[in-house]
Amino acid sequence: MLVLSRKVNESIIIDGGIKVTVVKIDGNKIRLAFEAPPEVSILREELHHLKQEFAETVEAQEPILV
């Protein structure tokens, strides 16, 4: 894991096409802005896990034959 320090309005670039900017710092919360190509999915970690669990549930179900 890479750990970086950034101040408000400072950014990092990931893989040349994803920009993450620190917009606001308020106590123990930070607000980030993401710029990425439309084909890149950006989700909060807890939503990513829910999406994975849902996909696994659907995959495990028997197909319905009509």
Side-chain angles (χ1 to χ4, degrees):
M1 177 186 298
L2 173 65
V3 178
L4 300 172
S5 296
R6 299 280 73 201
K7 296 178 182 176
V8 173
N9 295 322
E10 292 184 338
S11 302
I12 61 168
I13 305 295
I14 300 170
D15 199 28
I18 301 168
K19 181 177 179 181
V20 182
T21 303
V22 177
V23 177
K24 183 179 179 180
I25 302 172
D26 185 13
N28 65 346
K29 289 184 178 182
I30 62 169
R31 182 165 287 202
L32 301 172
F34 296 86
E35 294 179 45
E39 64 272 9
V40 174
S41 175
I42 300 173
L43 294 173
R44 296 188 323 247
E45 183 177 22
E46 62 274 16
L47 293 179
H48 175 73
H49 291 306
L50 284 174
K51 183 178 175 183
Q52 283 183 320
E53 289 174 16
F54 179 76
E56 290 169 4
T57 301
V58 169
E59 188 176 284
Q61 292 179 351
E62 295 280 329
I64 299 172
L65 301 175
V66 179

